[in-house]
Amino acid sequence: MSEPLFYNDEFLRGILAGVRSIAMVGASPKWNRPSYFAMKYLQEKGYRVIPVNPRAAGQDILGETCCATLAEVPDPIDMVDIFRASDAAGETVDEAIALKDSKRIGVIWMQLGVRDDAAAARAEAAGLTVIMDRCPKIEYGRLHNELSWGGFNTGIITSRRRRTRIA
Amino acid sequence: MTKDRKERFGFETRMIHAGTQPEPITGARQTPIYQNTSYVFHDTDHAASLFNLQTFGFIYSRLTNPTVAALEERIASLEGGRGATACASGHAAQILTLFPLMEPGDDFIASNRLYGGSITQFGKTFKKFDWRCSFVDVDEPENLRKALTPKTKAIFVESLANPGGVISDLEALSAVAREAGIPLIVDNTMATPYLCPAFLWGADLIVHSTTKFLSGNGTSTGGCVVDSGTFDWAGSEKFPSLAAPEPAYHGLRFAESFGDMAYTTHAHAVGLRDLGATMAPMNAFQTLLGIETLSLRMERHCANALAVARFLESHELVEWVSYAGLESSAYHDLAKKYLPKGAGSVFTFGVKGGFEMGIKVVEACELFSHLANIGDARSLILHPASTTHRQLSEDQRSAAGAGPDVIRLSIGLETLDDITRDLDRALKQATK
Ligand SMILES: Cc1ncc(COP(=O)(O)O)c(C=O)c1O
């Protein structure tokens, strides 16, 4: 097994604060699938999430029309979130590299359990930022203190008072 | 510079800060006691997301509560685990830890030297769930291999056993668990994460009675289950509650949906939801306060205990002392390996004169409190054979280190001379 990956909190915060639109490759229209959980959560946090999945192409998922391929996404994509098995991730990474200028792609994020070090190296060489084996929903929740609510070890220690709007 | 180590802060810092940032609305620095049962939804869609486990947040305090969650994160951090689930007592934690692993008809293997209450719970009460427990002498890992069956779902031991000064060889036991594809569950109550980092030695799950050293002042019963986050629940067919579709959540698979958070999510969303043994927010607050001084207390507990053990070992009215911190202990080498900062503060000794003398010594103490607890700031004394271990058979009692002449001490934080003087006086008075 390869060594576990470590990403520091500032780096992850920077990515989550910088991206607005996310193409979710492998998004499912079924409400009890992990990708659906993540999509719904990220939408609630203000991200635009565009589902990509050839088997659900044309279907409405959480108010967005599912695209068959990354190339078919009509709008710019800040981040590609890959919900596919590790051995299929490389293919999506190469598509993203090919589309990076036309779609203005800056970040490739592979989900928890998804990792392809060779594909990551290709993407980084093409100037993309890569995260692997993490879930953006979990990382967002962790960095914004929501993961603590479930009794999880966030690793975050601070005595600064968080600025929060009373919503 | 994107890669970073996992724990950025030391143990003592995490004791005080983990899980407890300033409350953002008011700025309150100490953790508020959310003495509250339920939480307002923004709208029905928010409620649906919460009930479907699609978003993070509070629904009802039987499942999660902000003060309790702060304690959970703190204990998870100190143990170096992924997440934790607090509950009403150490015994509740033991049910909760096995609940996601066991189906009716399954079995697990436990040390025959567990705390007497645990032996009763595992051997008698769990039969009503059709959970079976084989008790073995875990000093010989071969005994565990012989007890394994296709339905064995876990191995359960205490890192430092109550009361006998017995230490489990965690590394050897975790090797057996790994071969069998089942988790090693370690009760780390007596050692605490300060003395024994059980996950580093191969534990997969850790349970605590927080009633003891973590709360530290004898104020609050409580328990906690900590998950390392490293066991692969979906790697075999053994753990359907975590790996197979869960009907009560419309076919969601916990291991798939929550990854390394699956166990702790299940422990709240199914375990606490349906077993209901929730920790009260006030108890969580008291336990958080206790943990703030854990390392200091454990250092003094251990220093006092070692000095008292040495004092008793040379006492003319004492037959033997079983404390793993003493060179005379059969577990001294294991203590140096697993508990290098100290062998805890609970141990036993035998008085000359057996059962009758044991009772007299306990009753002659002035400073020691005669009660059934351990891990208090106060020094405590007990005669297990006539109290905590009286439900057990004679064989079980002697296996558990609770024979007729045995006296159990939990050494507190008082002035050392006062502790030894009280014992000396009680021993002498009892022989009169
Ligand atoms: C090692 C150990 N485990 C578990 C327990 C049970 O904990 P509780 O009394 O909080 O239910 C105890 C209590 O004495 C204990 O000493």
Side-chain angles (χ1 to χ4, degrees):
Chain A
M1 255 206 19
S2 33
E3 228 176 273
L5 299 159
F6 290 101
Y7 300 103
N8 79 38
D9 293 347
E10 288 321 307
F11 170 73
L12 294 171
R13 266 200 193 98
I15 289 174
L16 290 168
V19 308
R20 295 317 321 155
S21 65
I22 301 171
M24 185 178 279
V25 181
S28 169
K30 294 200 191 104
W31 80 268
N32 64 354
R33 302 298 303 157
S35 61
Y36 191 97
F37 281 35
M39 179 169 171
K40 189 168 187 204
Y41 181 86
L42 293 169
Q43 283 182 328
E44 277 163 16
K45 300 302 172 190
Y47 296 98
R48 163 117 195 261
V49 186
I50 304 142
V52 177
N53 183 347
R55 279 178 297 162
Q59 286 185 42
D60 178 286
I61 304 180
L62 291 162
E64 293 281 354
T65 305
C66 187
C67 300
T69 63
L70 269 182
E72 282 178 26
V73 175
D75 302 305
I77 302 168
D78 298 330
M79 177 167 111
V80 177
D81 181 10
I82 306 179
F83 257 99
R84 301 187 68 190
S86 290
D87 59 8
E91 188 189 331
T92 304
V93 170
D94 291 331
E95 278 174 51
I97 294 171
L99 294 166
K100 81 180 166 69
D101 294 328
S102 61
K103 301 287 180 202
R104 290 191 254 141
I105 299 170
V107 181
I108 294 181
W109 189 310
M110 298 181 218
Q111 274 294 330
L112 201 59
V114 184
R115 179 164 176 180
D116 180 339
D117 289 10
R122 294 197 294 278
E124 278 169 352
L128 293 163
T129 301
V130 180
I131 295 168
M132 297 188 285
D133 194 21
R134 291 288 183 282
C135 171
K137 171 190 166 186
I138 292 171
E139 294 307 311
Y140 188 100
R142 189 176 69 79
L143 294 165
H144 292 80
N145 227 29
E146 293 184 2
L147 210 61
S148 302
W149 299 343
F152 293 100
N153 181 7
T154 62
I156 294 170
I157 282 180
T158 177
S159 289
R160 290 216 190 126
R161 181 168 169 183
R162 215 155 16 99
R163 289 193 186 275
T164 157
R165 278 174 298 119
I166 300 177
Chain B
M1 281 307 293
T2 60
K3 312 218 154 103
D4 210 349
R5 287 308 311 172
K6 210 171 163 193
E7 295 294 354
R8 291 166 58 216
F9 292 94
F11 189 91
E12 291 78 5
T13 306
R14 287 181 280 135
M15 255 166 33
I16 295 163
H17 289 278
T20 55
Q21 299 178 21
E23 197 285 306
I25 304 286
T26 61
R29 186 64 193 93
Q30 190 45 281
T31 307
I33 302 164
Y34 287 89
Q35 193 63 46
N36 179 60
T37 56
S38 19
Y39 308 83
V40 177
F41 307 121
H42 290 299
D43 49 40
T44 46
D45 188 50
H46 179 225
S49 292
L50 286 167
F51 278 103
N52 290 340
L53 308 177
Q54 286 163 332
T55 191
F56 308 110
F58 299 100
I59 299 175
Y60 187 62
S61 287
R62 173 157 28 86
L63 284 77
T64 52
N65 167 283
T67 314
V68 177
L71 173 65
E72 292 170 334
E73 181 171 8
R74 181 166 299 174
I75 297 175
S77 170
L78 294 180
E79 290 287 14
R82 182 62 176 125
T85 311
C87 54
S89 68
H91 267 23
Q94 291 173 181
I95 300 181
L96 203 58
T97 194
L98 289 163
F99 178 68
L101 314 180
M102 303 281 289
E103 305 299 320
D106 282 347
D107 64 73
F108 68 108
I109 302 174
S111 164
N112 63 357
R113 296 212 190 81
L114 297 179
Y115 158 62
S118 303
I119 290 184
T120 307
Q121 184 192 40
F122 291 0
K124 294 212 161 73
T125 297
F126 281 3
K127 276 200 189 134
K128 302 205 171 194
F129 310 154
D130 203 10
W131 293 355
R132 296 152 203 205
C133 179
S134 329
F135 294 102
V136 305
D137 178 348
V138 301
D139 282 358
E140 261 318 312
E142 239 1 84
N143 293 342
L144 291 125
R145 291 197 177 88
K146 278 188 217 134
L148 284 167
T149 76
K151 286 180 167 290
T152 305
K153 298 300 171 71
I155 294 172
F156 190 107
V157 299
E158 289 170 7
S159 46
L160 172 62
N162 175 7
V166 171
I167 292 169
S168 301
D169 188 351
L170 298 181
E171 219 173 2
L173 295 169
S174 91
V176 178
R178 228 171 304 124
E179 280 166 34
I182 56 176
L184 174 65
I185 306 173
V186 173
D187 180 337
N188 212 19
T189 299
M190 295 253 296
T192 80
Y194 181 67
L195 298 180
C196 180
F199 284 145
L200 295 185
W201 294 115
D204 298 292
L205 295 161
I206 291 174
V207 295
H208 280 283
S209 165
T210 62
T211 315
K212 320 296 182 191
F213 295 99
L214 294 184
S215 73
N217 296 87
T219 60
S220 309
T221 54
C224 193
V225 182
V226 192
D227 174 32
S228 61
T230 53
F231 194 92
D232 180 11
W233 305 111
S236 74
E237 309 279 291
K238 282 186 192 291
F239 304 104
S241 293
L242 292 163
E246 163 63 43
Y249 284 103
H250 310 277
L252 171 151
R253 296 166 197 263
F254 277 84
E256 178 194 45
S257 297
F258 301 106
D260 65 357
M261 293 162 42
Y263 185 93
T264 299
T265 304
H266 187 279
H268 289 93
V270 182
L272 286 177
R273 184 197 64 187
D274 293 347
L275 297 171
T278 304
M279 179 184 273
M282 184 68 192
N283 285 13
F285 176 76
Q286 296 281 3
T287 308
L288 280 163
L289 273 191
I291 292 175
E292 290 189 3
T293 56
L294 179 67
S295 64
L296 298 171
R297 289 187 289 106
M298 292 316 291
E299 279 168 14
R300 180 62 65 84
H301 274 301
C302 290
N304 277 357
L306 181 60
V308 172
R310 291 216 166 105
F311 166 79
L312 289 173
E313 197 168 40
S314 61
H315 201 287
E316 57 190 359
L317 298 172
V318 171
E319 196 82 62
W320 53 266
V321 179
S322 171
Y323 180 60
L326 292 174
E327 291 75 8
S328 59
S329 164
Y331 295 93
H332 190 61
D333 286 342
L334 289 178
K336 281 196 286 195
K337 175 170 177 179
Y338 293 111
L339 301 156
K341 295 196 194 105
S345 92
V346 178
F347 64 92
T348 51
F349 70 98
V351 275
K352 293 186 176 157
F355 194 87
E356 294 307 318
M357 266 293 286
I359 289 176
K360 279 192 192 161
V361 171
V362 167
E363 290 179 348
C365 281
E366 189 74 48
L367 183 65
F368 277 80
S369 305
H370 177 197
L371 54 75
N373 192 23
I374 55 168
D376 195 320
R378 278 149 279 271
S379 289
L380 314 174
I381 190 163
L382 186 86
H383 183 237
S386 60
T387 54
T388 47
H389 288 62
R390 71 177 301 132
Q391 272 89 358
L392 305 186
S393 69
E394 211 159 297
D395 284 351
Q396 283 178 316
R397 272 203 291 270
S398 57
D405 61 333
V406 176
I407 292 178
R408 180 183 78 185
L409 302 177
S410 173
I411 300 299
L413 307 177
E414 300 98 332
T415 307
L416 177 60
D417 281 349
D418 295 336
I419 300 173
T420 49
R421 193 153 22 87
D422 196 43
L423 283 173
D424 187 44
R425 206 192 33 73
L427 281 161
K428 286 176 177 150
Q429 191 178 314
T431 49
K432 281 204 191 120

